[in-house]
Amino acid sequence: MKGCINNKMGQIQIDTDVIALYAGTTAVECFGIVGMAAVSVKDGLVKLLKRDSLKHGINVTINDNAISIDFHVIVSYGVSISTVADNLIENVKYKVEEFTGMPVEKINIFVEGVRVID
């Protein structure tokens, strides 16, 4: 489902992939986030995604023009996961709402792994 914004000139539709890519770019800028994770259901393996495929670790749904975002992330070793999650939620919520003009209803974070950063 696409997000729709109506204005005096017509209608604007925003695809969920666009929102996912923008949210992923915002997320990897947050302190403590190494990157998005792709989880293989078949093997149960977690793989760190490259920057050009960030949207694969993110699921965006839109219901009644309210956005819900699920992040599958890998965090840095030695950081407080709750602090990183709070920072991620705050930054993504603000930037996605500003970008789309639609409210972010819910952000779920699934920590899929921990990485040591050099």
Side-chain angles (χ1 to χ4, degrees):
M1 179 176 199
K2 295 182 180 184
C4 294
I5 302 168
N6 293 311
N7 63 18
K8 63 183 178 187
M9 300 296 283
Q11 186 179 66
I12 302 167
Q13 291 188 352
I14 304 172
D15 194 85
T16 55
D17 283 348
V18 173
I19 297 170
L21 185 60
Y22 188 79
T25 304
T26 302
V28 295
E29 292 173 356
C30 293
F31 174 77
I33 301 293
V34 175
M36 297 298 117
V39 181
S40 171
V41 177
K42 183 179 107 182
D43 303 328
L45 297 174
V46 176
K47 183 174 95 174
L48 180 64
L49 294 171
K50 296 178 184 171
R51 287 217 183 255
D52 56 345
S53 58
L54 289 176
K55 66 183 180 183
H56 296 297
I58 302 170
N59 184 28
V60 175
T61 54
I62 300 173
N63 291 321
D64 298 326
N65 271 356
I67 302 170
S68 296
I69 307 172
D70 295 337
F71 286 97
H72 295 270
V73 298
I74 297 175
V75 297
S76 297
Y77 177 80
V79 298
S80 168
I81 291 175
S82 64
T83 303
V84 170
D86 289 343
N87 184 33
L88 174 67
I89 290 168
E90 186 178 317
N91 286 341
V92 169
K93 182 177 179 357
Y94 173 75
K95 288 191 175 181
V96 169
E97 284 179 346
E98 186 178 294
F99 177 66
T100 62
M102 298 185 305
V104 174
E105 179 180 50
K106 187 179 0 176
I107 296 177
N108 298 312
I109 300 172
F110 301 94
V111 178
E112 301 293 350
V114 177
R115 282 270 166 102
V116 176
I117 302 299
D118 296 339

